[in-house]
Amino acid sequence: MESTLKDMRDGATVLDMDPKSTVGGGVEDVYGEDRATEDQILTPWTVSIASGYSLLRNPQHNKGLVFTERERDAHYLRGLLPPTIATQELQEKKLMNNIRQYQLPLQKYMAMMELQERNERLFYKLLVDNVEELLPVVYTPTVGEACQKYGSIFRRPQGLYISLKEKGMILDVLKNWPERNIQVIVVTDGERILGLGDLGCQGMGIPVGKLSLYTALGGVRPSACLPITIDVGTNNEQLLKDEFYIGLRQKRATGQEYAELLHEFMTAVKQNYGEKVLIQFEDFANHNAFELLAKYGTTHLVFNDDIQGTASVVLAGVVAALKLIGGSLDEHKFLFLGAGEAGTGIAELIAQEMSKQTKAPLEETRKKIWLVDSKGLIVSSRKDSLQHFKKPWAHEHEPVKDLLSAVKAIKPTVLIGSSGVGKTFTKEVVEAVASFNEKPLILALSNPTSQSECTAEEAYTWTKGRAIFASGSPFDPVEYDGKVYVPGQANNAYIFPGLGLGLVISGAIRVHDDMLLAASEALAGQVTEELFHKGLIYPPFSNIRKISAQIAANVAAKAYELGVATRLPRPANLVKYAESCMYSPIYRQYR
Ligand SMILES: NC(=O)C1=CN([C@@H]2O[C@H](COP(=O)(O)OP(=O)(O)OC[C@H]3O[C@@H](n4cnc5c(N)ncnc54)[C@H](OP(=O)(O)O)[C@@H]3O)[C@@H](O)[C@H]2O)C=CC1
Ligand SMILES: CC(=O)C(=O)O
Ligand SMILES: [Mg+2]
């Protein structure tokens, strides 16, 4: 009895009772309610079967007009619904018709969020069946605009908000979340939301969006997903002045105050959900991101999507592209614009893969990769003043101030944009790359679309149709000189849902770089001859659940190989097992 009480949600108000006492009211007074005297405070905790009106208002169980006659009788729904009985397919058709009528992407986003809050399975059915059409709505680019305007469009809260006000009680805050069996947390502190900068508390749109992809693309149950925003303030003056801003109105906490809050959070998560809960760090600024990953990588199941997921997806694209541009990985020369989380994360994984393939030391393979930051090319003379994550890339070279000069000096075969600054791949830059490559590989990774280093049309036009191009946010196919070019989408959304699924199904307790390579290899392996023929280096998102199962299987296999998997015995066929674990949005029958 005592231990049950100690486990209760409201630990501070638990009544201290003699465990052997038989006195007390109720059949099993686990919550101590019947023993409480009037001055004792307790949690009004109820567990009930949803029926009638509350069933219709419960997004997890609501089926709207699809409730059958029998279900309407059994669950007190008679009269609460009009007489017709619909199918989920008809509901889907109606909603897609409605969504397509909205002119503005933000209206579509709001319609999707409203659906998620009203009928969760229908939301996921739409997303799974129409992934290519709806990905840009619930994810980049529209989610970026949604975060910028989050305060104005805010209706119902989604996810969990942990601010400096909750310091000292984060464990209690986690217990306020209605679900107990959490498998994946995506957490942001809102400081680097896509390429849009510090959006403070309004960054919540990102964990919410990423986790809806965990379910739709990776098949992790929605109830096992928990979006979290940590609000330590914002340095965004515009938001601080915005009357509709939803976060703390103060400058960002830094240093010890920041570290303590994060540490309390990380400890509380492990205490509450155990060590097999995956914590995905998302859109933190790089001055915290690398440190958090290093600090918690050895004690928690953590993964930084911007550093590691992006690296895995770009490596897959590059490896696949070799079929089109020729040569082996180590025969190429890479130049990045942007040497932050994405840039250095990708660079490191490419160097690791090169080293693996050629047996050359990592220090050697890194020399094939060059990065430009806001101060110019990263070279050895700058080493002392560089942030630690840039130091491995400070090669011997004279200083070079700008990208165009760096392109001319380095002569890269692959140009990668990870700067968060739009329009930086100018005509001169792209033409210069095209002047010494028959088929230049150009990846403009920055999100959302407004921050893309160049557009698909620019890439194809300026290279006279020779570029192999992919971007972080989607672009429509481009017609150039009578031919249609289909750009790819190089986005970590290909990787994190499958990677997460693989970690969850194997019960992994740590993320290892080899798992990122395994995920990358699985993705690259999904590009068919037919796709190569169209100049594509990524498979279509319409196949993503199949792709995620392959990624999950490869990641899980690596987890078993490395001895960090706890789900034993290892399933014989990991692809089949991954598929069998995936959430389906089809309605369930009710008793
Ligand atoms: N497609 C995808 O899947 C992903 C895309 N991204 C996108 O990548 C972008 C960068 O993200 P992230 O790496 O996390 O950000 P960071 O802030 O960590 O890094 C940005 C880097 O770009 C450099 N930079 C900024 N402005 C310029 C400029 N005008 N010229 C040259 N360099 C510049 C910065 O230089 P300095 O260090 O000198 O300040 C820094 O090195 C974002 O737009 C994000 O949306 C991120 C993750 C995944
Ligand atoms: C895609 C992504 O994670 C980003 O742009 O930050
Ligand atoms: Mg991100």
Side-chain angles (χ1 to χ4, degrees):
M1 187 66 156
E2 197 173 35
S3 68
T4 319
L5 287 167
K6 289 269 185 276
D7 281 351
M8 276 175 38
R9 290 162 46 91
D10 200 344
T13 63
V14 167
L15 305 173
D16 247 331
M17 294 185 306
D18 173 4
K20 288 181 233 90
S21 166
T22 52
V23 188
V27 177
E28 203 183 335
D29 186 20
V30 279
Y31 297 106
E33 288 170 354
D34 296 336
R35 296 164 205 232
T37 58
E38 275 174 23
D39 58 341
Q40 282 173 318
I41 303 163
L42 43 86
T43 303
W45 181 237
T46 66
V47 177
S48 61
I49 295 167
S51 71
Y53 197 74
S54 62
L55 178 56
L56 290 181
R57 291 288 178 274
N58 180 327
Q60 285 178 334
H61 302 299
N62 180 25
K63 301 200 264 187
L65 293 179
V66 179
F67 282 111
T68 62
E69 299 283 4
R70 203 176 49 74
E71 287 171 334
R72 290 177 193 209
D73 282 332
H75 297 281
Y76 307 96
L77 295 169
R78 286 250 164 239
L80 300 181
L81 290 162
T84 196
I85 313 272
T87 61
Q88 200 177 12
E89 287 64 37
L90 192 71
Q91 287 181 316
E92 183 175 359
K93 181 176 174 187
K94 184 182 79 179
L95 275 154
M96 287 308 295
N97 284 345
N98 290 348
I99 285 169
R100 284 172 187 146
Q101 277 168 26
Y102 289 119
Q103 297 295 312
L104 301 175
L106 195 60
Q107 290 173 319
K108 295 183 194 227
Y109 176 87
M110 288 168 70
M112 284 300 282
M113 290 305 108
E114 196 271 331
L115 176 60
Q116 191 173 19
E117 290 295 307
R118 180 161 52 83
N119 183 334
E120 191 175 84
R121 282 186 186 266
L122 191 53
F123 168 83
Y124 284 112
K125 181 90 169 66
L126 254 69
L127 205 46
V128 169
D129 292 347
N130 305 276
V131 64
E132 297 200 330
E133 183 174 349
L134 293 178
L135 204 56
V137 175
V138 301
Y139 192 53
T140 182
T142 310
V143 71
E145 185 187 356
C147 289
Q148 288 174 310
K149 298 176 181 164
Y150 216 67
S152 310
I153 65 172
F154 184 87
R155 287 188 184 162
R156 278 175 168 206
Q158 291 178 293
L160 201 60
Y161 292 89
I162 298 175
S163 79
L164 287 169
K165 284 193 204 172
E166 280 72 55
K167 190 170 185 329
M169 45 178 159
I170 296 181
L171 186 61
D172 295 330
V173 175
L174 291 180
K175 288 178 192 234
N176 286 343
W177 187 251
E179 303 291 345
R180 309 292 302 153
N181 296 319
I182 298 301
Q183 293 174 322
V184 184
I185 289 173
V186 176
V187 60
T188 189
D189 72 356
E191 194 168 2
R192 197 284 279 141
I193 294 298
L194 307 178
L196 301 171
D198 183 352
L199 297 185
C201 193
Q202 303 198 160
M204 180 57 104
I206 293 293
V208 167
K210 291 270 176 186
L211 282 165
S212 60
L213 304 195
Y214 258 103
T215 299
L217 278 51
V220 178
R221 274 179 300 117
S223 60
C225 296
L226 172 54
I228 297 184
T229 293
I230 297 191
D231 185 353
V232 296
T234 177
N235 296 339
N236 183 326
E237 291 296 340
Q238 214 181 324
L239 286 181
L240 287 172
K241 279 190 242 142
D242 181 350
E243 62 177 325
F244 298 126
Y245 181 56
I246 58 170
L248 289 183
R249 275 171 210 275
Q250 64 166 76
K251 285 269 156 73
R252 277 187 179 273
T254 57
Q256 196 180 342
E257 194 182 5
Y258 179 88
E260 278 176 10
L261 193 76
L262 266 288
H263 193 66
E264 185 188 338
F265 167 70
M266 294 302 290
T267 309
V269 165
K270 198 163 164 180
Q271 192 176 341
N272 205 38
Y273 302 117
E275 65 176 342
K276 283 182 274 181
V277 61
L278 171 63
I279 304 172
Q280 172 167 321
F281 293 121
E282 191 72 50
D283 290 10
F284 282 74
N286 62 39
H287 55 92
N288 291 316
F290 287 99
E291 215 173 296
L292 288 171
L293 185 60
K295 182 167 176 190
Y296 295 105
T298 52
T299 54
H300 290 65
L301 182 68
V302 292
F303 153 71
N304 183 302
D305 188 35
D306 301 298
I307 303 170
Q308 299 172 295
T310 315
S312 187
V313 78
V314 171
L315 176 62
V318 169
V319 167
L322 296 178
K323 284 235 183 180
L324 297 168
I325 62 179
S328 57
L329 194 59
D330 65 303
E331 285 167 344
H332 285 273
K333 212 188 266 182
F334 296 79
L335 181 65
F336 287 77
L337 181 70
E341 295 166 65
T344 62
I346 301 162
E348 182 64 16
L349 203 67
I350 291 177
Q352 281 185 21
E353 179 62 19
M354 266 186 207
S355 168
K356 240 178 150 170
Q357 286 181 8
T358 61
K359 311 270 182 291
L362 194 55
E363 297 71 48
E364 283 308 305
T365 56
R366 281 181 180 147
K367 290 184 182 151
K368 315 255 168 154
I369 303 173
W370 296 81
L371 293 98
V372 172
D373 65 8
S374 65
K375 299 190 176 65
L377 190 65
I378 296 183
V379 291
S380 50
S381 55
R382 292 180 54 196
K383 199 158 185 170
D384 290 345
S385 62
L386 290 173
Q387 288 147 289
H388 67 94
F389 51 87
K390 292 179 183 170
K391 287 187 198 285
W393 311 101
H395 311 315
E396 287 302 326
H397 199 285
E398 64 199 35
V400 178
K401 274 266 159 289
D402 60 280
L403 179 65
L404 182 58
S405 312
V407 166
K408 289 177 178 164
I410 304 298
K411 295 195 172 40
T413 57
V414 181
L415 180 67
I416 300 180
S418 52
S419 62
V421 185
K423 304 190 180 14
T424 35
F425 289 175
T426 59
K427 188 164 186 273
E428 291 71 29
V429 165
V430 173
E431 282 178 350
V433 177
S435 71
F436 35 75
N437 289 295
E438 176 52 32
K439 281 197 169 294
L441 176 57
I442 300 176
L443 305 177
L445 301 179
S446 293
N447 296 315
T449 315
S450 58
Q451 311 310 108
S452 188
E453 282 79 6
C454 68
T455 65
E457 188 173 8
E458 287 166 346
Y460 294 123
T461 311
W462 293 338
T463 60
K464 300 198 168 32
R466 286 189 285 124
I468 307 296
F469 178 79
S471 51
S473 299
F475 281 107
D476 287 335
V478 173
E479 202 183 317
Y480 172 77
D481 208 14
K483 205 177 149 196
V484 176
Y485 295 83
V486 187
Q489 189 176 353
N491 193 295
N492 50 32
Y494 273 111
I495 291 290
F496 68 79
L499 174 74
L501 181 66
L503 295 168
V504 167
I505 64 170
S506 60
I509 52 161
R510 296 288 176 270
V511 177
H512 193 281
D513 275 0
D514 281 352
M515 296 173 183
L516 304 173
L517 292 173
S520 183
E521 191 185 302
L523 177 58
Q526 296 296 308
V527 192
T528 59
E529 283 304 324
E530 194 191 338
L531 295 170
F532 283 128
H533 213 70
K534 292 185 191 158
L536 282 164
I537 54 173
Y538 291 104
F541 267 113
S542 50
N543 285 351
I544 188 67
R545 282 171 76 95
K546 193 175 139 268
I547 298 164
S548 292
Q550 296 285 341
I551 294 175
N554 255 26
V555 169
K558 194 52 78 179
Y560 283 103
E561 196 184 311
L562 294 167
V564 292
T566 61
R567 192 210 169 276
L568 298 167
R570 176 195 191 280
N573 186 331
L574 283 168
V575 176
K576 279 221 162 65
Y577 182 62
E579 281 169 350
S580 75
C581 292
M582 288 171 91
Y583 165 87
S584 157
I586 305 290
Y587 288 139
R588 307 297 295 264
Q589 305 278 319
Y590 297 146
R591 242 185 274 281

